[in-house]
Structure formats: structure tokens, C-alpha cells
Amino acid sequence: MPESTRPRSPFAPAAATPHGIPSAALWTAAAHAAECLRPAPIVRDPWAADFLHAAGFDGGPPGDGPLQRLLPDWQVVRTRFFDDYALAAARSGCRQVVLLGAGLDTRAFRLDWPTGVHVFEVEDAAVLAFKEYVLDWSRLSCGRRTVVEADGTASWGEELGAAGFDPGRPTAWLCEAPLYFLRPPEVAAVVAVMTELSAPGSMFGAECVNSATTSSPFVAPFMDALSTIGLGWNWQIADPERWWAEHGWDAAAADPYTLPYAVERLSPYLPLIGTAAAESVFLTTGTLRGTPCQGRSSSSSAASHRSGSSSAVARASS
């Protein structure tokens, strides 16, 4: 496998394996690999087990609390949610899809994209080299895929442009998990570039940590365990709609319990933790401010507005 001496990506968490692969990316791959063994998987990622084998990885996050036990199911729910978001955005006209901190994401290979979609993957050079080694010329399901080696918060936008990204075209941005490993000023810098490069009609999806829950009995032990390997949920917000509005986007956080697949996967945990899992993070999607209403994907196709406990929760816990 080729190695790179370039500076690490701003999207790459500090904790990584000897191959340079962020541990968090391998935790998600492990969740996807386990999901593929289910009779009716809600996410199909046939490359996940290959990533684990190539990395020699057989483990998970540190600790053994309730969040650690729930995490694989949550990661699959999160992936499916953003799968649906990305496809809805592409079908509504965003033929450029940018995966920021792409990690071991295989959406360019596994989703049923509409014609003409160009997927850009922005990530650390070492991660991309490992990924290309494992994928080994697998067949794309999108029209075109371009990898962009990010070498710093200030320059990834320039490198994206040099790789063929067109800021004049609507774009679907996806920051599935990497933002909350960054410091708040770093997140603001990344989002500022994203906003500057977005044409009217552009959309985004991002998981955001709920600052109101990080000291809870459910989340705090997990945060302590992460700190033992040099990781932390550094960027936390209490009001995603307000935060994203201040940065140029109209956003909404989903209520996972309006999503049948989320109810199916999370309901077994309700007697133990209630709705704490769904409340600890925000699955957030939105559109660039000033985008005409007809250019937005419907909330039912990607995210229903978060509205507290739904009737689905009551049915699932009864």
C-alpha cells in the first residue's frame, strides 16, 4: 500500500490504527459487517468485512456501558438515515455529492444513484490509500467518483476545486460523523468553506452532538472512555437549527422514532435507556438559505422534524 507524508486531514480523528485508519471508521465498518449478516439488513455494505480484515481489526470502542452496547445499531440507523438523505438530495437535483471526512464510506459503490451523480470523497491521504487498496477497482454505482486528499482545514476547498468540483452546481454535502471530533473553531472553518462553495439548491447532512446530554449517565461514561484513547466529542451544540442558521443554512433535526427502521433497531433498548440514545445526537439535514422551496427535498423523504417523544416510541416500549 502506498504511504503519504502529507499532513493529516482536518477531518481525521486523532485516534487511529497502525494503518492510519481512524478507530471510529472501523467501529462503523464493524457495525456494517454485522448488519450484512442479518436476514433483512437495512444497510448493505459488502466491503465492510474486507476493511476489517485488511486492517486486522477485531474490536470496538473502549468501555462496556449502555452506549457502547447500543452503538452498532445506532451506527446502522445513522448510515441508513444519511443514505436516504443523499439519494433524496441527488434525485432533487444535487448531482454533486461531497463526503467530508469520508472514512470508509462506500456510498459511491452501494447506493442506487440517479444518472450523472459525481461523488467526491474528501479524506486523509493514508485513509484513501487504504481504502483504494481494499476496494481494488470495485464497480461504481454512481456516474463518477473522485477522491480528494485533504491536507489542512484551510486548503481542502481549493483541492476539491482542483479535483473538478463545480461551485456553480447544487451540491449535497455529507458530514456523517467527523465534525464533532473537531474543535468548534475548526468546525466553523469547515462549514464556512462548505457554504462558500455551495450554489443555490445545495443541501447538507450532519450528525451533531447534543450538548445538553453529554453529562448524562448515558453519555458521560462513554465520553470518559473515549478520552482514554485520545478521542472526544469536542463540538457540541444545543440548538442545531439555530447554529446552522447562523452559518447560512436552514436546518431541521430528525426524530428517529418517526423512522420505522430506527424504531425496529432502537426499541429493544427502550426499557434500559428510554429515548436517551436518540436525544444524545441530532441527525440534521438542511438547505442553503435562500433556496426556493421547490428545490428542497421533502422532510418526509430524509428527515421529519424532531418533535419529542412520538407515538411510535410509546408503541415500541409497550
Side-chain angles (χ1 to χ4, degrees), residues 4-50:
S4 174
T5 58
R6 300 178 68 179
R8 287 181 60 79
S9 164
F11 307 108
T17 67
H19 294 281
I21 313 305
S23 298
L26 290 167
W27 301 338
T28 301
H32 288 184
E35 181 68 14
C36 284
L37 301 178
R38 288 179 177 263
I42 62 174
V43 171
R44 298 178 185 273
D45 186 350
W47 295 273
D50 295 336

Side-chain angles (χ1 to χ4, degrees), residues 17 29 32 72 79 85 97 101-102 122 128 141 218 223-224 228 230-231 234 236 240-241 244 253 259-260 277 308:
T17 67
H32 288 184
T79 296
Y85 149 76
V97 177
V122 182
L128 291 174
S141 61
F218 177 66
M223 300 279 284
D224 291 340
T228 66
L231 280 179
N234 299 310
Q236 305 167 13
E241 289 87 352
W244 285 96
L259 307 171

